[in-house]
Amino acid sequence: MPDTHTDVLVAGAGPAGLTLACELGLAGVRTTVLERDPAPPGFCRGFNLNARSLDLLEHRGLADRFLAEGPTLPATAFVGTAALDLAAMRTRHPYVLGIAQTRVEELLAERAEELGVRILRGHRLTGFREDGEGITADVTAPDGPLRLRCDWLAGCDGGRSTVRKAAGIAFPGTPARRFTLLGDVVLADPGALPFGTTAGPGGGSVFTIPRPGYVRLVTAEPDPPEDRDEPVTQARFQEVLDRALGRHVEIAEVRWLTRFGDAARLAERLCAGRVLLVGDAAHIHPPAGSVGVNAAIDDAMNLGWKLALVARGLAPERLLESYHTERHAAGARLLRDTRAQALLAAEGERLAPVRDLLGELATAEGTAGHVAETITGVNTRYPAHDEHGHPWEGRMIPGDGLLPAPARTGGGALLLDEAAAPAAVREAAASWNGRVTVTAVPSGRLPGTYAVLVRPDGHVGWVARPGAEAAGGAVRSALEWWFGPPAPLPVAG
């Protein structure tokens, strides 16, 4: 390999690593992705992108690529027989997109390579050493061991992250207490199990999801082996399936079998020196709601623009602390929500009244939107700079055409009321040209303010206080907080 140095080394080419690589590549940061597997897997872990992910991808002009790949549905499973009413959400994409995780990764990899990112498959990171100048990473590769030098290392390498362990970052939480088997299989009788939950006479059940040419079966494993990593065999899966149903449903062919638990853990730190954790490396949780891919994309979109500014020397390293603050809190909410859903599903009749109550809230006109936005992360809010109570602070910019096309380049946007914004605001923002696009919007489109600063991930980072007093100083403070110090003034000739 002729080039053994890169600005950012990303371990893992799943949704987290590839989304992060796209963000860095868009900003012109030299990025290398290491993927231990020589080729994409022959199985698929998940089949959806939710509204939050689609909103984020739209900020890069990418949502249409994904929406062209599958159907959209206005509801998704929640607790018991209740569904989330996604159409009630305040979002540009009030639905869930049916798309295989493998296809999500293919589209992200294509985009990353368009942006000049180098993806090295069959390369496994085995360890690293950090010093005052950067990181030296040890890598096993098809042609032998390698040492790569980088300024920053992003661990996007899953729940058993080598990066997290080597960095000595604690991973507190709760161990798995209940286990579930998942099988992508071909049934001898394709009509033996309909879509949805089939209950057995002894209290067991099997959830069936039809797929082209096969079905995905999910069922509890009441007595898992002592070694939880023991491979799931066809005979074992057949035994558990028949026991749950109380009858024999023959499996003719196996595509993929796996076991997963309800462990919930959140890394103590998402940033440690020059090491950052993203996606499952930062948090693991029960699979309720199928939000794993979406949480990974969310983490990466939050980190990407910040790491790009820091890696380019445009912003101080303290900006990365906001990644930890924002996404650690989001990770705690993710664990709470998924653990609650898993508990409701597992406790049978004891929690039936709670399931009924939540099911009612998820479908009632006054509460359906809030419940759906909470579970899908659409109502995510981050701390804004100099908050004063404006309803947009920290939230995704409303989806009514306010965000200009230049923001899709990965920069920020300063939206100014064309009639009310004082000239001092536009003049102050000139020193951040290239990082932030200043755009005038029709009068009245920014209720309660004359200026709104939108971060590259679409969240509102600052809203001007009513009135124009000290307007120039206020916007300079906000711009420096989110985008680093202003560019130096040109030297007079």
Side-chain angles (χ1 to χ4, degrees):
M1 181 183 300
D3 182 9
T4 59
H5 183 274
T6 189
D7 295 332
V8 178
L9 187 63
V10 177
L18 291 171
T19 303
L20 179 61
C22 288
E23 289 292 280
L24 296 169
L26 186 63
V29 176
R30 291 183 302 169
T31 304
T32 300
V33 178
L34 303 179
E35 171 52 49
R36 65 184 182 184
D37 294 326
F43 56 85
C44 181
R45 295 186 180 277
F47 294 100
N48 78 76
L49 284 182
N50 66 22
R52 170 76 177 167
S53 294
L54 294 168
D55 285 350
L56 290 167
L57 290 166
E58 186 178 6
H59 287 306
R60 296 295 176 267
L62 297 175
D64 287 347
R65 296 193 189 193
F66 293 84
L67 288 168
E69 295 288 330
T72 58
L73 298 172
T76 189
F78 181 40
V79 294
T81 59
L84 292 178
D85 182 4
L86 304 179
M89 298 189 299
R90 296 163 295 177
T91 168
R92 292 180 289 278
H93 304 94
Y95 42 72
V96 62
L97 170 66
I99 180 173
Q101 179 176 330
T102 47
R103 186 57 181 152
V104 170
E105 292 172 0
E106 288 172 357
L107 291 172
L108 290 171
E110 290 171 7
R111 179 56 175 161
E113 290 172 339
E114 290 172 6
L115 296 168
V117 172
R118 183 172 55 174
I119 301 175
L120 302 178
R121 299 191 182 274
H123 289 64
R124 179 194 294 267
L125 184 138
T126 57
F128 65 87
R129 294 168 300 286
E130 182 175 350
D131 54 51
E133 302 298 324
I135 288 175
T136 301
D138 298 318
V139 179
T140 58
D143 296 329
L146 294 174
R147 283 187 176 175
L148 300 182
R149 187 73 177 165
C150 61
D151 298 328
W152 299 91
L153 173 62
C156 306
D157 50 344
R160 299 179 181 182
S161 171
T162 297
V163 173
R164 186 189 65 241
K165 294 174 182 177
I169 299 174
F171 202 37
T174 57
R177 296 185 176 91
R178 298 180 177 89
F179 291 86
T180 301
L181 297 184
L182 181 151
D184 288 341
V185 302
V186 178
L187 298 178
D189 176 6
L193 292 174
F195 169 71
T197 300
T198 300
S205 66
V206 177
F207 187 69
T208 304
I209 307 171
R211 300 298 305 167
Y214 66 98
V215 293
R216 170 161 289 187
L217 304 180
V218 183
T219 188
E221 186 179 29
D223 53 348
E226 184 175 340
D227 179 5
R228 306 300 195 247
D229 296 328
E230 179 180 304
V232 181
T233 64
Q234 180 171 342
R236 171 61 176 169
F237 194 91
Q238 182 76 70
E239 174 196 349
V240 175
L241 174 67
D242 291 352
R243 191 191 318 167
L245 293 171
R247 59 188 171 92
H248 181 65
V249 173
E250 186 175 350
I251 297 172
E253 178 187 337
V254 164
R255 293 194 172 194
W256 179 47
L257 301 175
T258 190
R259 172 187 295 108
F260 59 86
D262 62 350
R265 297 184 180 277
L266 178 61
E268 191 172 75
R269 294 285 307 166
L270 305 191
C271 309
R274 293 176 174 269
V275 175
L276 306 118
L277 301 179
V278 187
D280 287 352
H283 40 69
I284 59 172
H285 53 84
S290 301
V291 295
V293 170
N294 299 282
I297 291 173
D298 215 344
D299 284 352
M301 290 290 283
N302 185 292
L303 173 61
W305 64 274
K306 298 172 182 177
L307 181 55
L309 286 169
V310 173
R312 294 165 62 198
L314 297 174
E317 292 183 17
R318 63 130 182 99
L319 183 60
L320 297 177
E321 280 298 311
S322 71
Y323 168 65
H324 167 78
T325 299
E326 294 172 1
R327 293 309 300 169
H328 195 273
R333 292 192 299 272
L334 174 69
L335 265 62
R336 179 201 67 183
D337 294 347
T338 53
R339 289 178 67 193
Q341 292 174 78
L343 184 63
L344 287 169
E347 287 296 320
E349 289 304 309
R350 191 170 75 89
L351 293 184
V354 182
R355 278 195 297 275
D356 292 343
L357 174 61
L358 287 176
E360 181 178 320
L361 294 174
T363 54
E365 182 178 352
T367 53
H370 175 73
V371 174
E373 289 176 13
T374 298
I375 297 300
T376 61
V378 164
N379 64 2
T380 296
R381 180 188 178 278
Y382 299 135
H385 181 67
D386 189 27
E387 293 189 358
H388 58 91
H390 193 283
W392 288 5
E393 288 174 336
R395 300 195 180 278
M396 189 81 78
I397 189 75
D400 53 5
L402 283 174
L403 199 61
R408 293 181 174 181
T409 63
L414 179 62
L415 309 181
L416 303 181
D417 185 297
E418 62 182 8
V425 174
R426 183 180 291 273
E427 294 167 1
S431 295
W432 282 267
N433 186 35
R435 282 176 265 177
V436 177
T437 300
V438 180
T439 302
V441 300
S443 185
R445 296 292 303 281
L446 305 177
T449 186
Y450 58 80
V452 173
L453 180 61
V454 184
R455 308 180 342 172
D457 57 6
H459 281 262
V460 173
W462 171 79
V463 177
R465 294 175 182 268
E469 297 83 0
V475 74
R476 276 194 295 270
S477 176
L479 286 163
E480 186 162 355
W481 179 261
W482 291 118
F483 296 95
L489 296 173
V491 178

